[in-house]
Amino acid sequence: MASVLTPARVISASTPRSFPQRRLIVQWKDFSRPAKLSRPLAINSRRWYSTPPSKAPSKNRAASKLYKSADDAVADIQSGSTIFSSGFGLCGVAETLIEAIERRGKESLHSLTAVSNNTGIEGVGGLSHIAKSGQVKKLIISFLGNNKALERRFLNGDLAVELCPQGSLAERIRAGGAGIPAFYTPTAANTLVETGKIPSMYDSKGNVIAYGTPREVREFNGRKYLMETALTGDVAIIRAHKVDEAGNCCFRYTTKAYGVIMAKAAKVTIVEAEEIVPIGALHPDNVDLPGIFVDRIVPATAKKNIEILKIRKPADPNATVSEAQAKRDRIARRTAKELHHGYYVNLGVGLPTRAPEYLPKDVRVWLQSENGILGMGDYPTESEVDADIVNAGKETVTLVPGASTFDSADSFGMIRGGHVDVTVLGALQVSASGDLANYMIPGKTFKGMGGAMDLVGNPEETKIVVATEHVAKDGSPKVVQDCKLPLTGAKCISTIITDMCVFQVDRVNGGLTLTEIAPGLTVDDVKAKTDATFKVADNVISME
């Protein structure tokens, strides 16, 4: 495809054989303004593979890195810049710098591309501040979360959103900082990410006018891999616990998630520090981020926010248990049997997290949370609450003796590399072939895939278990012959645990086998609530 760089907004248009829709390549400097079309046209957004013009502020290696205030540090950020924003949920977010960017105002600073795991909470913290002010034109994130206001802006055409699996997002940033232009990953194979069919822009009437980028696909050792391109930014805004005047940074607990990798992938990194110390005050072994990656330092003045405060409460032996709760208890109790002594386990948000409650006292497992914890403990008491320790659901948690914390690139390296023994996830639908759909209902729910696509990306090494209620709230079956919803992963589930029964999945040939059934139920009861056909084992046992 021939392309000539000209002042025109649309450089070229073509219809590649492999893509059924017309694709426009838009000049980088005009990316903040969509091309004017004579008629609405859904397009595939193409990533720019050559180096775009830099919009990064200048830096002087000989000058002091200390800035008087956040306002001074962000004063020369340019409109159209790509901004990396650290944090996971509201944990480790550079709120002081975000507030300073917001104070610049839309007239002074606009058309930003903001890269982060998620967007924060409207009226509380995170990127939602500058998204609401109209300063952000495009978001590159893995999860919209519960930010309903931002979801409405996206669906109304006020904002472009590129959804990227959490582990791929972290690795794209890590690769950008390491000078690696692209890499291949098994994450998101056979999903809408591969085909580029996740909507990235709507018009004011709610019609899709742009989609994601189809991925290049290659096979290695009999497995399908997608090519992901690296991400680099003009400016990174991060929050650290301690920073010395040379820029060496120490982070606390799960605030490491994106701060370390984003600082390395930006041309200019601005750090807001909870404590600024003299050179030499930090022991070299305690430095998480060397000063070579830090250009500006400001005092952190904004308070820390907690997205979901969860407190451990003593069990009430006299509490009544509803029928719905009894079903969830049954699922959690059976799921606990999949977690063997010494296992490293990742539990998805919601119902799967209850499984450890039913582990025998002599069984110890190491819980991994994809935002950067190995050795996650229970919810804290009121006195144990720490805003810097949250799980993948953005809930406050504790750490067990022997725990470790690390950044998101390391976390997903554990996951994709098959070092986790078991992963347990919820489901919207799961098929007879072991396909999983659990992140999007077109036209109703558009939160993003988060880390789910990565968590099911290596089912040969990590056993993937679904723990879910047998039917949805509307009574429709969740166990289906074929998933109608967009896939999180294909042929990845080995075991399905519901309140009614347990199925074992033949991922190679396809097909379900009923091996356990809840007390008081019959095989016909299960058939009546299941959309998929299944075999019945010779010795079906009772779920405990």
Side-chain angles (χ1 to χ4, degrees):
M1 183 195 320
S3 297
V4 179
L5 290 177
T6 72
R9 183 164 310 163
V10 178
I11 300 171
S12 64
S14 67
T15 310
R17 254 178 274 172
S18 57
F19 306 140
Q21 294 172 315
R22 194 178 184 205
R23 182 175 65 182
L24 302 183
I25 303 175
V26 183
Q27 192 172 359
W28 181 274
K29 68 180 181 181
D30 289 332
F31 219 55
S32 61
R33 297 180 292 172
K36 294 181 179 178
L37 304 173
S38 58
R39 59 186 176 84
L41 178 66
I43 64 174
N44 287 105
S45 303
R46 178 176 176 177
R47 295 171 182 164
W48 193 260
Y49 292 106
S50 58
T51 304
S54 175
K55 288 185 174 292
S58 61
K59 57 185 178 183
N60 181 356
R61 293 286 201 189
S64 170
K65 296 182 179 182
L66 299 180
Y67 277 63
K68 183 179 179 180
S69 69
D71 294 290
D72 292 337
V74 305
D76 56 351
I77 296 178
Q78 299 181 49
S79 294
S81 295
T82 296
I83 307 292
F84 286 165
S85 178
S86 69
F88 185 87
L90 297 178
C91 177
V93 175
E95 300 286 3
T96 307
L97 291 164
I98 290 174
E99 290 173 5
I101 290 172
E102 184 182 18
R103 284 193 293 271
R104 285 270 311 261
K106 185 178 179 180
E107 293 73 21
S108 170
L109 184 58
H110 57 84
S111 304
L112 299 174
T113 294
V115 182
S116 189
N117 181 73
N118 50 280
T119 57
I121 301 295
E122 190 82 13
V124 179
L127 288 176
S128 59
H129 288 308
I130 56 176
K132 184 178 180 180
S133 68
Q135 292 170 277
V136 174
K137 191 66 176 177
K138 179 180 180 180
L139 288 167
I140 302 177
I141 56 175
S142 76
F143 194 63
L144 267 171
N146 296 318
N147 197 324
K148 293 295 184 183
L150 204 59
E151 186 177 6
R152 284 194 300 272
R153 291 196 65 226
F154 172 48
L155 297 175
N156 290 337
D158 297 328
L159 190 70
V161 174
E162 178 184 331
L163 282 174
C164 182
Q166 188 179 336
S168 296
L169 179 63
E171 190 65 14
R172 289 178 67 192
I173 296 167
R174 190 207 66 80
I180 298 171
F183 58 90
Y184 287 94
T185 175
T187 298
N190 303 303
T191 73
L192 296 183
V193 173
E194 177 187 328
T195 57
K197 293 300 183 183
I198 294 182
S200 63
M201 186 178 291
Y202 291 80
D203 64 17
S204 59
K205 297 180 180 179
N207 301 308
V208 179
I209 59 173
Y211 289 92
T213 307
R215 305 303 199 260
E216 178 186 317
V217 178
R218 286 190 63 181
E219 187 175 294
F220 297 93
N221 300 319
R223 292 187 65 196
K224 181 189 285 189
Y225 290 78
L226 311 185
M227 191 184 81
E228 290 284 359
T229 53
L231 271 173
T232 56
D234 298 300
V235 177
I237 53 173
I238 67 177
R239 181 170 180 134
H241 177 51
K242 288 185 180 181
V243 182
D244 70 15
E245 294 175 8
N248 296 307
C249 298
C250 296
F251 295 85
R252 292 187 76 243
Y253 304 122
T254 54
T255 64
K256 295 184 182 77
Y258 283 93
V260 175
I261 56 177
M262 284 183 168
K264 297 176 181 179
K267 295 181 176 68
V268 171
T269 294
I270 310 173
V271 178
E272 61 176 72
E274 294 167 16
E275 184 179 351
I276 301 173
V277 298
I279 292 175
L282 300 179
H283 192 283
D285 277 347
N286 295 330
V287 173
D288 298 308
L289 177 69
I292 190 173
F293 300 110
V294 174
D295 303 290
R296 303 177 183 186
I297 305 165
V298 302
T301 57
K303 71 172 184 177
K304 295 180 181 181
N305 294 305
I306 294 175
E307 186 161 335
I308 303 176
L309 178 63
K310 294 287 283 190
I311 301 296
R312 182 169 73 247
K313 298 178 180 178
D316 182 0
N318 299 317
T320 58
V321 178
S322 66
E323 182 180 354
Q325 185 61 51
K327 290 181 179 181
R328 291 191 289 269
D329 290 346
R330 182 182 302 134
I331 297 169
R333 187 165 51 247
R334 174 56 183 83
T335 300
K337 292 188 174 184
E338 301 291 328
L339 316 182
H340 302 305
H341 184 71
Y343 269 21
Y344 294 94
V345 177
N346 184 290
L347 301 176
V349 298
L351 199 155
T353 62
R354 294 202 48 220
E357 298 175 22
Y358 295 95
L359 287 174
K361 296 296 183 183
D362 60 343
V363 174
R364 179 177 185 177
V365 299
W366 295 92
L367 298 182
Q368 199 257 19
S369 185
E370 61 258 36
N371 61 311
I373 298 176
L374 189 62
M376 181 173 64
D378 203 345
Y379 296 128
T381 62
E382 290 187 11
S383 63
E384 292 174 327
V385 170
D386 191 321
D388 292 339
I389 308 177
V390 301
N391 64 13
K394 289 85 174 177
E395 301 169 324
T396 49
V397 290
T398 57
L399 304 177
V400 302
S404 57
T405 57
F406 32 84
D407 66 47
S408 290
D410 279 346
S411 182
F412 282 96
M414 295 177 190
I415 292 165
R416 284 191 310 272
H419 305 288
V420 175
D421 296 294
V422 176
T423 289
V424 185
L425 297 170
L428 294 171
Q429 290 180 339
V430 58
S431 80
S433 299
D435 300 338
L436 173 67
N438 76 343
Y439 80 99
M440 181 169 68
I441 302 175
K444 292 184 179 180
T445 303
F446 198 95
K447 294 182 181 297
M449 68 288 291
M453 288 184 176
D454 302 273
L455 287 165
V456 301
N458 194 350
E460 287 76 23
E461 299 294 334
T462 300
K463 183 177 183 179
I464 314 297
V465 176
V466 157
T468 184
E469 290 160 320
H470 204 89
V471 299
K473 290 180 180 179
D474 63 1
S476 60
K478 286 190 172 187
V479 183
V480 297
Q481 192 65 31
D482 298 293
C483 290
K484 302 298 190 295
L485 299 175
L487 294 188
T488 304
K491 295 185 176 181
C492 55
I493 305 303
S494 294
T495 301
I496 304 168
I497 301 170
T498 77
D499 53 286
M500 296 186 74
C501 65
V502 176
F503 290 116
Q504 301 300 331
V505 184
D506 184 343
R507 293 194 303 106
V508 176
N509 302 308
L512 303 176
T513 300
L514 178 72
T515 58
E516 300 177 38
I517 194 166
L521 297 182
T522 66
V523 172
D524 287 338
D525 292 330
V526 174
K527 286 182 178 179
K529 298 289 186 179
T530 305
D531 177 67
T533 58
F534 57 87
K535 299 177 182 177
V536 180
D538 292 337
N539 297 310
V540 177
I541 63 175
S542 176
M543 290 178 69
E544 294 182 6

Coordinates of all heavy atoms in Angstrom, one line a residue, residues 323 325-336 351 354 358 497-501 517-519 521 543-544:
E323 N -31.5 -19.0 50.1 CA -31.3 -20.0 49.1 C -30.2 -19.6 48.2 O -29.3 -20.5 47.8 CB -32.6 -20.3 48.4 CG -32.5 -21.4 47.4 CD -33.8 -21.7 46.6 OE1 -34.8 -21.1 47.0 OE2 -33.8 -22.5 45.7
Q325 N -27.7 -17.6 48.7 CA -26.4 -17.7 49.4 C -25.9 -19.1 49.5 O -24.8 -19.4 49.4 CB -26.5 -17.0 50.8 CG -25.1 -16.9 51.5 CD -24.1 -16.1 50.7 OE1 -24.4 -15.0 50.3 NE2 -22.9 -16.7 50.5
A326 N -26.9 -20.0 49.8 CA -26.5 -21.4 49.9 C -26.0 -22.0 48.6 O -25.0 -22.8 48.6 CB -27.7 -22.2 50.4
K327 N -26.5 -21.5 47.5 CA -26.0 -22.0 46.2 C -24.5 -21.4 46.0 O -23.7 -22.2 45.5 CB -26.9 -21.4 45.1 CG -28.2 -22.1 45.0 CD -29.0 -21.5 43.9 CE -30.4 -22.2 43.8 NZ -31.2 -21.7 42.6
R328 N -24.3 -20.2 46.3 CA -23.0 -19.6 46.2 C -22.0 -20.3 47.1 O -20.8 -20.6 46.8 CB -23.0 -18.1 46.4 CG -23.7 -17.3 45.3 CD -23.5 -15.8 45.5 NE -24.2 -15.3 46.6 CZ -25.4 -14.8 46.6 NH1 -26.1 -14.8 45.5 NH2 -26.0 -14.3 47.7
D329 N -22.4 -20.6 48.3 CA -21.6 -21.4 49.3 C -21.2 -22.7 48.7 O -20.0 -23.2 48.9 CB -22.3 -21.6 50.6 CG -22.5 -20.3 51.4 OD1 -21.8 -19.3 51.0 OD2 -23.3 -20.3 52.4
R330 N -22.1 -23.4 48.1 CA -21.9 -24.7 47.5 C -20.8 -24.6 46.4 O -19.9 -25.4 46.3 CB -23.1 -25.3 46.9 CG -23.0 -26.7 46.3 CD -24.2 -27.2 45.7 NE -25.3 -27.3 46.7 CZ -26.5 -26.8 46.5 NH1 -26.9 -26.3 45.3 NH2 -27.4 -26.9 47.4
I331 N -20.9 -23.6 45.6 CA -19.9 -23.4 44.5 C -18.5 -23.1 45.1 O -17.5 -23.7 44.7 CB -20.3 -22.2 43.6 CG1 -21.6 -22.5 42.9 CG2 -19.2 -21.9 42.5 CD1 -22.3 -21.3 42.2
A332 N -18.5 -22.2 46.1 CA -17.2 -21.9 46.7 C -16.6 -23.1 47.4 O -15.3 -23.4 47.3 CB -17.3 -20.8 47.7
R333 N -17.4 -23.9 48.1 CA -16.9 -25.1 48.8 C -16.3 -26.1 47.8 O -15.3 -26.7 48.1 CB -18.1 -25.7 49.6 CG -17.7 -26.8 50.6 CD -18.7 -27.1 51.6 NE -20.1 -27.2 51.0 CZ -21.1 -26.4 51.2 NH1 -20.9 -25.3 51.9 NH2 -22.2 -26.6 50.6
R334 N -17.0 -26.3 46.7 CA -16.5 -27.3 45.7 C -15.3 -26.7 45.0 O -14.3 -27.5 44.7 CB -17.6 -27.6 44.7 CG -17.2 -28.5 43.6 CD -16.6 -29.8 44.0 NE -16.1 -30.6 42.9 CZ -14.9 -30.5 42.3 NH1 -14.1 -29.5 42.7 NH2 -14.6 -31.3 41.3
T335 N -15.2 -25.4 44.8 CA -14.1 -24.9 44.1 C -12.8 -25.0 44.9 O -11.7 -25.2 44.4 CB -14.3 -23.4 43.8 OG1 -15.5 -23.2 43.0 CG2 -13.1 -22.7 43.2
A336 N -13.0 -25.0 46.3 CA -11.8 -25.1 47.1 C -11.1 -26.5 46.9 O -9.9 -26.6 47.2 CB -12.3 -25.0 48.6
L351 N -17.3 -14.3 43.1 CA -17.5 -15.6 43.7 C -16.3 -16.4 43.9 O -16.1 -17.1 44.9 CB -18.6 -16.4 42.9 CG -19.3 -17.5 43.6 CD1 -20.7 -17.8 43.0 CD2 -18.5 -18.8 43.6
R354 N -14.1 -16.5 47.2 CA -14.6 -17.1 48.4 C -14.1 -18.6 48.7 O -14.2 -19.1 49.7 CB -16.1 -17.2 48.4 CG -16.8 -15.7 48.5 CD -18.2 -15.8 49.0 NE -18.3 -16.6 50.2 CZ -19.3 -17.4 50.5 NH1 -20.2 -17.6 49.6 NH2 -19.3 -18.1 51.6
Y358 N -13.0 -22.2 52.4 CA -13.4 -23.6 52.7 C -12.1 -24.5 52.6 O -12.3 -25.7 52.5 CB -14.4 -24.0 51.7 CG -15.7 -23.3 51.8 CD1 -16.0 -22.1 51.1 CD2 -16.7 -23.7 52.8 CE1 -17.2 -21.4 51.3 CE2 -17.8 -23.0 53.0 CZ -18.1 -21.9 52.2 OH -19.3 -21.2 52.4
I497 N -17.8 -25.5 37.5 CA -18.5 -25.8 38.8 C -19.6 -24.8 38.9 O -19.4 -23.6 38.9 CB -17.5 -25.6 39.9 CG1 -16.3 -26.5 39.8 CG2 -18.2 -25.8 41.3 CD1 -15.1 -26.2 40.7
T498 N -20.8 -25.3 39.1 CA -22.0 -24.5 39.3 C -22.7 -24.9 40.5 O -22.3 -25.9 41.2 CB -23.0 -24.6 38.1 OG1 -23.7 -25.8 38.2 CG2 -22.3 -24.5 36.7
D499 N -23.8 -24.2 40.9 CA -24.6 -24.6 42.1 C -25.3 -25.9 41.8 O -25.8 -26.6 42.8 CB -25.5 -23.5 42.4 CG -26.4 -23.1 41.2 OD1 -25.9 -22.4 40.3 OD2 -27.6 -23.5 41.2
M500 N -25.5 -26.4 40.6 CA -26.2 -27.6 40.3 C -25.3 -28.8 40.1 O -25.7 -29.9 40.4 CB -27.1 -27.4 39.0 CG -28.2 -26.4 39.1 SD -29.2 -26.3 37.7 CE -30.2 -27.8 37.9
C501 N -24.1 -28.6 39.5 CA -23.3 -29.8 39.2 C -21.9 -29.4 38.8 O -21.5 -28.2 38.9 CB -23.9 -30.4 37.9 SG -23.9 -29.4 36.5
I517 N -23.2 -33.9 41.0 CA -24.5 -33.3 41.0 C -24.9 -32.9 42.4 O -24.5 -33.6 43.4 CB -25.5 -34.2 40.4 CG1 -26.8 -33.5 40.0 CG2 -25.8 -35.4 41.3 CD1 -27.7 -34.3 39.1
A518 N -25.5 -31.8 42.5 CA -25.9 -31.2 43.9 C -27.0 -32.1 44.5 O -27.8 -32.7 43.8 CB -26.4 -29.8 43.7
P519 N -26.9 -32.2 45.8 CA -27.9 -33.0 46.6 C -29.4 -32.6 46.2 O -29.7 -31.4 46.1 CB -27.6 -32.7 48.0 CG -26.2 -32.3 48.0 CD -26.0 -31.6 46.7
L521 N -30.9 -33.1 43.4 CA -31.2 -32.9 42.0 C -30.9 -34.1 41.2 O -30.2 -35.0 41.6 CB -30.2 -31.8 41.5 CG -30.4 -30.4 42.1 CD1 -29.4 -29.4 41.4 CD2 -31.8 -29.8 41.9
M543 N -22.2 -33.5 45.0 CA -21.4 -32.4 45.4 C -21.5 -32.2 46.9 O -22.6 -32.3 47.5 CB -21.9 -31.1 44.7 CG -21.6 -31.0 43.2 SD -22.3 -29.5 42.5 CE -21.2 -28.3 43.2
E544 N -20.4 -32.0 47.6 CA -20.5 -31.8 49.1 C -20.9 -30.3 49.4 O -20.5 -29.4 48.7 CB -19.2 -32.1 49.7 CG -18.8 -33.6 49.6 CD -17.5 -33.9 50.2 OE1 -16.9 -33.1 50.9 OE2 -17.1 -35.1 50.1

